[in-house]
Amino acid sequence: MNSNSNGLPPRRQAPTQSGASGSKNGKGKKPKKKRRMRTFGRLVLSLLVIAIVVGGGYLYWVYNQVADTGIDKPVPPGMSAKTKPITMLLLGTDNRPETGTYLSDVVMVASLNPETKTATIVSLPRDTRVQLDGYKANKLNSYYPKFKAQEKTSGKNAEDQMKEMMSKYLNVDINYTTVLNFQAFRDAVNAVGGVDVTVDKNMCYKDTADGTDINLVAGAQHLDGKEALDFVRYRKSNCKPKTDESNDFDRNKRQNQVLNSMLDQLKSLGGVTKIGKVIGAVDKNMTTDVESEQMKNFISTYWNISKSDVHYTPVTGEWRSPYVYINETELANAKQALKDTLSGKVTASPTAE
């Protein structure tokens, strides 16, 4: 396959369309197509995150689809992901119509180095007890909703406050924050036609307060959006007979299984036709501060990153209700892994393609 000056295979040319300017209409509103493209930009970032987590060259297909999408502001000087190592905070919240809450059930920090073409992704248990100067000791997943509630009085948005806190906690500068909620997760799974997973145990839990009704049977299953969310969320049972409990570490493994299955669906023959529905799934259900041009920088730089060069570093600990007391050695190693990736000490695998 031939390549261009960026090292990418030749791009497909988009059909020429008349009247496709970025201007506003007479009422001061952006045209519907422009709004859809901006929504698509959010989808691109979500797929980028998934692709980085599970590895693979699907990023190139995304690059071919992205044009003028993303956040409408320039990339700060010297901050291009093509040349500068970047760190991003990834949050998955429990926000959905039934609850209105913002607990962050997924907390990951990803560092990427464009020169070595390597990435390190650190995941932290949601119930981690955080004790940090300037912050009241609490569960890790409780800070984002607290910051959301303080936005009007603090003058800072919650995403920036989380970025500031996690930078201090991990002793590394975090450049961007991306937040995806439960509703987007459910709708995105439905949009790709469901996911094929192996349910590791029988799962049963009911909560009439938020409509939770988990009832899954162990074994190979094809799950829709609601069931997939139940699968990754399950922790304990209140049913008769009770099913075995789960923990944060099991949940992280199940989350990765679902993400892998979603990516397989989108890469499969005919998966591209589902893209419109996935666009709708992430609309208004995702928040990011990545600029449009930076989004393209990420994709063009990391489209062919090898799976062996994406280093997933989960941090575990000891559960003593109601907290996970983090393993300090693992946390120190995770901090160092992020720094080593940023500094270029982590090099690409000799077998990387």
Side-chain angles (χ1 to χ4, degrees):
M1 181 180 292
N2 296 329
S3 61
N4 60 23
S5 60
N6 292 324
L8 290 170
R11 293 187 61 186
R12 296 191 299 271
Q13 294 298 318
T16 301
Q17 297 181 4
S18 61
S21 67
S23 62
K24 296 180 181 180
N25 60 21
K27 295 182 179 180
K29 295 181 180 180
K30 294 178 181 178
K32 183 176 182 181
K33 181 177 178 181
K34 185 67 176 178
R35 293 198 303 270
R36 275 186 70 81
M37 287 303 293
R38 206 159 301 289
T39 299
F40 184 79
R42 295 183 177 184
L43 168 67
V44 167
L45 184 60
S46 66
L47 293 180
L48 170 63
V49 169
I50 292 172
I52 289 172
V53 170
V54 302
Y58 185 55
L59 292 177
Y60 176 61
W61 181 89
V62 178
Y63 185 87
N64 276 339
Q65 305 303 312
V66 66
D68 296 324
T69 59
I71 304 303
D72 276 337
K73 62 180 182 179
V75 179
M79 287 294 295
S80 171
K82 290 183 177 181
T83 57
K84 177 180 172 55
I86 296 292
T87 303
M88 182 185 295
L89 171 63
L90 312 171
L91 299 177
T93 75
D94 69 347
N95 183 255
R96 56 201 191 280
E98 299 92 332
T99 63
T101 55
Y102 289 94
L103 293 171
S104 45
D105 279 4
V106 176
V107 180
M108 293 182 175
V109 176
S111 288
L112 304 98
N113 189 303
E115 183 176 352
T116 60
K117 291 291 180 69
T118 59
T120 292
I121 299 173
V122 171
S123 66
L124 296 162
R126 50 163 271 168
D127 289 333
T128 297
R129 186 176 189 273
V130 175
Q131 191 163 5
L132 191 63
D133 287 345
Y135 299 87
K136 183 178 179 181
N138 213 331
K139 287 185 180 181
L140 177 57
N141 74 333
S142 70
Y143 288 98
Y144 184 62
K146 176 183 177 182
F147 294 150
K148 289 291 288 185
Q150 294 175 344
E151 282 183 330
K152 291 183 178 179
T153 56
S154 69
K156 295 183 179 180
N157 66 48
E159 293 75 31
D160 285 344
Q161 291 201 71
M162 280 298 297
K163 184 161 46 182
E164 182 179 327
M165 188 191 82
M166 293 305 297
S167 293
K168 188 173 183 179
Y169 182 69
L170 293 174
N171 194 25
V172 63
D173 288 336
I174 297 176
N175 308 111
Y176 294 104
T177 303
T178 295
V179 183
L180 187 71
N181 67 29
F182 277 1
Q183 187 63 42
F185 180 91
R186 289 191 299 202
D187 291 348
V189 170
N190 285 333
V192 300
V195 291
D196 294 315
V197 300
T198 300
V199 179
D200 49 298
K201 63 183 73 177
N202 291 338
M203 302 177 182
C204 180
Y205 180 80
K206 301 180 185 299
D207 186 347
T208 56
D210 65 1
T212 299
D213 185 5
I214 300 174
N215 188 10
L216 298 173
V217 178
Q221 305 282 351
H222 183 80
L223 306 181
D224 63 19
K226 184 266 181 190
E227 293 165 335
L229 182 59
D230 290 345
F231 176 58
V232 300
R233 288 185 62 215
Y234 176 76
R235 301 186 72 194
K236 59 184 179 180
S237 176
N238 58 1
C239 301
K240 293 183 180 180
K242 283 190 175 183
T243 51
D244 291 340
E245 292 190 356
S246 189
N247 58 39
D248 281 352
F249 318 122
D250 296 330
R251 285 154 55 102
N252 286 347
K253 291 177 183 177
R254 295 198 294 265
Q255 169 194 314
N256 285 342
Q257 190 180 166
V258 170
L259 290 177
N260 272 282
S261 183
M262 288 181 68
L263 186 60
D264 287 341
Q265 291 277 43
L266 287 171
K267 291 168 65 177
S268 66
L269 183 64
V272 174
T273 62
K274 303 170 183 176
I275 205 70
K277 292 182 179 179
V278 181
I279 291 173
V282 300
D283 188 24
K284 298 181 181 178
N285 290 308
M286 184 173 176
T287 301
T288 183
D289 56 1
V290 177
E291 304 90 355
S292 172
E293 191 62 32
Q294 189 74 303
M295 195 179 298
K296 291 187 284 186
N297 292 340
F298 274 122
I299 295 168
S300 64
T301 303
Y302 297 103
W303 74 275
N304 62 346
I305 190 171
S306 170
K307 191 170 184 177
S308 63
D309 292 324
V310 179
H311 305 285
Y312 182 66
T313 309
V315 180
T316 64
E318 181 183 353
W319 168 254
R320 299 199 303 271
S321 183
Y323 300 108
V324 169
Y325 288 84
I326 212 73
N327 183 308
E328 293 296 336
T329 299
E330 289 185 9
L331 180 60
N333 290 340
K335 292 178 181 179
Q336 192 60 50
L338 291 170
K339 292 178 181 178
D340 287 348
T341 296
L342 294 173
S343 67
K345 290 183 180 179
V346 179
T347 58
S349 168
T351 59
E353 299 180 356

